[in-house]
Structures are given as C-alpha cells and as structure tokens.
C-alpha cells in the first residue's frame, strides 16, 4: 500500500516538503509518489490543501 496523488493536485509542493522519506517529486502536471519509498505515514495528506493524496 502507498499513497497516490490525484489529478486534484494544484502543484504547490507542500507534500514533498512534508514527506519524511523523500518519496514525492514533481511529475507531469502534478506531484507524484514513489510507491517503493512511501511508508504510508499520511503526512502528505495532512499537508495538502486540496486533499489530493489518498491511500490506495
Ligand atoms: Fe511520504 Fe508519508 Fe505521503 Fe508516503 S504517506 S508519500 S511517506 S508523506
Ligand atoms: Fe499537489 Fe497537494 Fe502535494 Fe500540493 S500538497 S503538490 S496540491 S498533492
């Protein structure tokens, strides 16, 4: 299981700063989470202003 960022992402970058393992990077039009690195902590979901990161 890993978190995934939906197309609601407004590209603010807050989640990338909040991620403790550096799993989030800039993708094409939205930020993306590397499922191999994500430890399911939920920090990105807590920081996101639009609720884009969701648990798969
Ligand atoms: Fe990073 Fe935690 Fe979000 Fe996974 S759930 S991408 S580890 S902040
Ligand atoms: Fe996108 Fe939310 Fe991350 Fe901002 S915090 S880059 S809106 S997923």
């Amino acid at each position: 299981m890993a978190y995934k960022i939906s197309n609601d992402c407004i590209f603010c970058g807050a989640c990338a700063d909040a991620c403790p393992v550096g799993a989030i990077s800039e993708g094409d039009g939205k930020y993306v989470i590397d499922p191999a690195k994500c430890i399911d902590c939920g920090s990105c979901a807590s920081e996101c202003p639009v609720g884009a990161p969701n648990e798969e």
Side-chain angles (χ1 to χ4, degrees):
M1 297 289 281
Y3 274 67
K4 188 171 182 183
I5 294 173
S6 77
N7 289 334
D8 291 338
C9 175
I10 57 170
F11 220 77
C12 73
C15 56
D17 291 338
C19 182
V21 295
I24 308 177
S25 59
E26 290 184 19
D28 186 14
K30 66 174 185 175
Y31 274 67
V32 292
I33 294 171
D34 180 347
K37 290 183 182 173
C38 178
I39 56 170
D40 259 356
C41 72
S43 293
C44 52
S46 299
E47 291 297 318
C48 181
V50 296
N54 290 288
E55 216 166 1
E56 285 255 274

